[in-house]
Amino acid sequence: MKKSLISTMSIAISAEDLTKKFDDFLAVDHINFQINRNEIFGFLGPNGAGKTTTMKMIQCVSPKTTGSLIVNGIDVEKDSRSVKDILGIVPQENNLDPDFSVLKNLLVYARYYNISEEEAERRSFEQLDFVQLNEKKDVMIDKLSGGMKRRLILARALINKPRILILDEPTTGLDPQARHMIWDKILSLKKEGVTVVLTTHYMEEASQLCDRLVIMDLGKIIEEGSPQELIQKHVGSHVVEVDNTPAVMKCLTENGDKYEEFANRVHVFAAEPEELSSKLMKRCNFDKVTVRQASLEDVFLKLTKKALRD
Amino acid sequence: MLRIFSIPKISSRTYKVWLRNKDVFMKTIKINFIPQLLEPILYLFGIGYGLGFFVREIDGLPYVEFIAPALICISMMNSAFFESTFASFVRMYYQKTFDAIINTPMNIEEVIFGEILWAATKSMINASIILLVVSSLQLVRLPESLLLIPLSFLVGLVFASIGMCFTSLVPRIEFFNYPIFLLITPMYLFSGTFFPMSILPEQIQTISLLIFPLAHAVNISRWLTTGIAYSSIALSLLWLVVVAVPLTILSINLMKKRLIV
Ligand SMILES: Nc1ncnc2c1ncn2[C@@H]1O[C@H](COP(=O)(O)OP(=O)(O)OP(=O)(O)O)[C@@H](O)[C@H]1O
Ligand SMILES: [Mg+2]
């Protein structure tokens, strides 16, 4: 009894056999995951993998088809209002209110949480400062740049001081400065005890931020772990890149090396990169060999390659 | 089938959605106010006095006094119906306003009910403006006609929920032309608005009284402004109340069905 209580306290979100069907189409296919409190947890996966669908079920705006989904100890089906009260949402699709100015967007949004007017104003200015939109506070939404809109949406998501933050591609369309600013903020929110769920197509972002992540494809979770674990497991420490020619392919196959083939390049996975590259250059007369550190992108490409092809 | 008439889960938070729309309205009130004031005046002069020059009177009433309550009712209908169709559709479909709101502790039922209440409020605002105009021209009885203000909310509620049902069904915004041509326009003409229903074939009179909310709104309003009742006022009022409640519930559930997937 006591043990299960402790384990539910330390788990922010847990899903068991979670499924989402749109008519006959299975968008999320029996997925299981547990997100610990105070961790940054990533969902990666190609377009249409089911990331946003999963986020929407967590957000209690799209009902699950089967399975169980517990957020902050609460069943999403039983008490969605209490769940939504402690969530902050950055949706993939911008939905700022175009009928209002930047500041008024935050004030009106705070009202939906029953936050008092005074407090809403205080928090709004605090958030505007943080996303550096103070100068734009009286500007209408359609006069903002794409990146400014994303920043304002993040500010809006923080207006209720959420314990769990759901970020569906938060930095898409941001310039490098703004992206780093948001990364900093995510890390400092983590320090304050916030749990962050993040989807992204930027592998660098996932590597830098995520404590753990899952890779989804075709509605299923196909891999799970920390970025480092996944890189070690699937790629090794380094990658040797060479041009894709018939001679290269023949040599690689004969050697029995682990590699991934692309249209113009071949990525050869290596634990001992220098050894491998000199071996390849000697034995197969390769030129244009590049050695680099293995990254999450290699893992992603390897695991989701089929989906990219069709 | 039964689920579309199940009672929606609604709390007092609905008010926040109403407030959102009110805030937008107040921002543009100076631009909104003038055309809303102008339109009924144009009708009043163009039809009331223009056509009235030839018609003179209907059932002992000067023509302009005959149509004054109808103009108020048409404004109730148009404002509520427009708000819950075109305006709500824009907020739902193009602006994603509903999506944003339901990410907060608000639920979709409250969002839709808030929209309907706002549309009914628009009906009340517009009716009040025109009432002011026709009162200053001494075309209506006072103080009885002041009851048009609460009536306009009820009538607004009926038209808002009818509009919201269409909003839950149309694939694109252009499709609102169908209910406008097939429902609103005939209702506008055959509800005892510009001529008494008694001159229509009996079957059409019956149909009008059975399905046209506007016919009942006009009947009650004309009684309030002139003292003449064309059919039972109690029945008309009962008709509006009895229809308003299930229609509101139906429209909320239909919208939920559209939006929660
Ligand atoms: N309302 C819906 N009705 C029918 N199918 C849907 C609906 N929403 C999503 N889908 C389908 O579910 C699948 C998963 O979509 P989802 O938006 O979750 O993908 P995603 O992983 O977020 O992709 P992206 O990286 O492109 O944002 C897609 O095939 C999509 O077409
Ligand atoms: Mg997505």
Side-chain angles (χ1 to χ4, degrees):
Chain A
M1 188 65 206
K2 206 170 182 185
K3 201 178 162 201
S4 77
L5 193 67
I6 289 166
S7 70
T8 52
M9 295 289 283
S10 64
I11 287 167
I13 303 176
S14 92
E16 258 174 62
D17 272 331
L18 186 63
T19 303
K20 178 74 194 187
K21 238 181 181 172
F22 294 112
D23 297 319
D24 280 337
F25 177 74
L26 202 52
V28 172
D29 187 358
H30 295 90
I31 61 170
N32 293 279
F33 59 85
Q34 289 206 325
I35 301 174
N36 298 324
R37 260 188 218 293
N38 208 2
E39 114 180 301
I40 302 181
F41 192 92
F43 280 83
L44 308 186
N47 293 134
K51 303 179 298 293
T52 297
T53 307
T54 306
M55 296 307 116
K56 284 187 173 168
M57 288 190 278
I58 298 173
Q59 286 158 231
C60 308
V61 298
S62 178
K64 63 186 197 237
T65 307
T66 61
S68 100
L69 181 56
I70 310 288
V71 180
N72 200 37
I74 305 164
D75 188 330
V76 292
E77 235 163 35
K78 296 234 170 72
D79 188 3
S80 57
R81 218 193 282 275
S82 303
V83 172
K84 292 201 269 183
D85 219 7
I86 57 108
L87 293 181
I89 312 289
V90 171
Q92 180 171 5
E93 210 176 343
N94 285 345
N95 57 20
L96 291 162
D97 201 325
D99 289 328
F100 294 123
S101 67
V102 166
L103 175 63
K104 186 79 183 176
N105 255 276
L106 298 181
L107 295 175
V108 170
Y109 213 68
R111 211 155 59 190
Y112 300 132
Y113 289 93
N114 280 343
I115 296 168
S116 76
E117 235 168 278
E118 259 170 57
E119 179 65 13
E121 199 156 309
R122 205 185 55 72
R123 289 189 196 181
S124 297
F125 280 110
E126 191 182 298
Q127 291 308 330
L128 285 182
D129 264 344
F130 149 62
V131 294
Q132 296 166 17
L133 283 174
N134 234 327
E135 274 171 29
K136 300 275 181 187
K137 72 178 166 58
D138 297 318
V139 168
M140 295 301 282
I141 297 305
D142 58 359
K143 300 276 179 340
L144 294 180
S145 76
M148 289 175 185
K149 285 183 193 156
R150 276 328 260 169
R151 276 145 59 187
L152 183 58
I153 288 189
L154 179 64
R156 192 184 67 177
L158 296 171
I159 206 83
N160 62 321
K161 299 209 155 89
R163 303 197 54 193
I164 301 175
L165 196 57
I166 312 278
L167 308 173
D168 198 350
E169 301 193 22
T171 61
T172 300
L174 292 188
D175 65 36
Q177 248 97 24
R179 178 168 300 150
H180 280 277
M181 184 182 94
I182 289 194
W183 290 357
D184 275 350
K185 181 66 181 181
I186 293 172
L187 290 169
S188 68
L189 285 165
K190 180 190 149 107
K191 276 196 199 120
E192 290 167 25
V194 176
T195 306
V196 180
V197 185
L198 171 86
T199 84
T200 180
H201 289 298
Y202 299 109
M203 296 303 128
E204 194 203 341
E205 179 166 297
S207 314
Q208 296 230 354
L209 296 178
C210 294
D211 299 307
R212 289 191 307 136
L213 57 87
V214 293
I215 298 178
M216 286 186 81
D217 196 8
L218 302 171
K220 292 193 175 70
I221 290 181
I222 54 173
E223 190 50 287
E224 176 182 347
S226 73
Q228 274 317 311
E229 273 167 27
L230 293 182
I231 294 167
Q232 274 306 325
K233 176 172 166 193
H234 291 281
V235 185
S237 65
H238 286 80
V239 172
V240 179
E241 286 193 32
V242 287
D243 277 349
N244 188 350
T245 63
V248 165
M249 291 312 297
K250 186 161 169 279
C251 179
L252 284 173
T253 325
E254 281 167 7
N255 277 338
D257 292 309
K258 280 206 290 180
Y259 63 87
E260 277 290 305
E261 191 186 350
F262 298 91
N264 298 310
R265 300 284 276 171
V266 184
H267 295 176
V268 190
F269 303 151
E272 306 289 342
E274 284 81 21
E275 204 176 294
L276 179 74
S277 54
S278 61
K279 184 179 83 179
L280 290 178
M281 282 202 271
K282 261 187 239 144
R283 256 199 247 156
C284 312
N285 301 318
F286 290 179
D287 46 346
K288 285 199 225 153
V289 171
T290 320
V291 181
R292 58 169 175 79
Q293 287 227 311
S295 73
L296 200 54
E297 188 140 344
D298 298 309
V299 179
F300 185 90
L301 290 173
K302 185 181 167 194
L303 294 179
T304 61
K305 205 166 178 207
K306 260 199 210 94
L308 289 172
R309 270 191 193 136
D310 57 37
Chain B
M1 195 56 204
L2 272 175
R3 275 179 56 199
I4 54 174
F5 284 106
S6 59
I7 306 295
K9 287 187 212 115
I10 281 165
S11 78
S12 58
R13 283 181 197 246
T14 298
Y15 169 63
K16 318 260 175 172
V17 177
W18 183 91
L19 209 54
R20 180 222 166 261
N21 291 339
K22 192 217 78 179
D23 284 356
V24 178
F25 176 77
M26 293 306 281
K27 248 183 25 173
T28 50
I29 188 158
K30 286 184 202 109
I31 316 161
N32 281 330
F33 199 75
I34 302 296
Q36 264 154 32
L37 198 68
L38 218 56
E39 199 187 323
I41 297 176
L42 283 175
Y43 269 91
L44 212 56
F45 281 86
I47 296 182
Y49 292 108
L51 203 58
F53 179 78
F54 298 98
V55 179
R56 295 282 166 202
E57 49 183 48
I58 287 178
D59 297 328
L61 285 173
Y63 189 60
V64 65
E65 287 180 34
F66 179 84
I67 67 158
L71 290 180
I72 301 177
C73 291
I74 288 166
S75 169
M76 296 176 198
M77 168 174 84
N78 284 342
S79 49
F81 192 79
F82 175 87
E83 192 66 29
S84 71
T85 51
F86 291 97
S88 286
F89 191 88
V90 166
R91 288 191 281 270
M92 166 186 81
Y93 188 85
Y94 296 103
Q95 300 188 175
K96 310 278 174 207
T97 308
F98 300 176
D99 289 350
I101 300 176
I102 61 171
N103 275 336
T104 73
M106 312 274 310
N107 63 30
I108 191 68
E109 290 94 325
E110 290 159 348
V111 173
I112 305 306
F113 191 45
E115 290 278 309
I116 290 175
L117 289 182
W118 171 248
T121 307
K122 279 293 280 286
S123 158
M124 192 159 84
I125 294 169
N126 284 11
S128 307
I129 294 171
I130 307 172
L131 185 61
L132 199 71
V133 176
V134 292
S135 305
S136 62
L137 293 170
Q138 294 181 326
L139 300 175
V140 297
R141 295 196 288 172
L142 286 170
E144 293 89 337
S145 297
L146 289 177
L147 287 174
L148 279 172
I149 295 171
L151 178 71
S152 63
F153 191 83
L154 174 64
V155 173
L157 206 59
V158 172
F159 282 106
S161 50
I162 293 173
M164 198 57 88
C165 287
F166 287 111
T167 303
S168 74
L169 300 172
V170 295
R172 288 197 312 276
I173 199 162
E174 298 83 34
F175 278 68
F176 285 129
N177 288 330
Y178 287 103
I180 286 175
F181 283 123
L182 297 176
L183 183 69
I184 299 297
T185 307
M187 187 152 27
Y188 168 86
L189 291 171
F190 304 117
S191 295
T193 38
F194 300 104
F195 51 85
M197 288 210 307
S198 52
I199 65 167
L200 292 168
E202 217 157 280
Q203 300 95 307
I204 297 192
Q205 283 186 48
T206 315
I207 293 173
S208 290
L209 283 173
L210 273 179
I211 67 168
F212 287 169
L214 188 63
H216 298 284
V218 169
N219 186 34
I220 302 170
S221 300
R222 190 166 284 135
W223 176 66
L224 289 173
T225 63
T226 68
I228 297 172
Y230 278 83
S231 62
S232 161
I233 299 304
L235 268 183
S236 282
L237 194 60
L238 189 70
W239 190 97
L240 288 173
V241 173
V242 164
V243 158
V245 177
L247 266 183
T248 304
I249 292 174
L250 175 69
S251 67
I252 292 173
N253 287 325
L254 285 177
M255 281 298 275
K256 186 178 175 186
K257 211 169 148 214
R258 173 180 186 138
L259 293 173
I260 302 298
V261 288

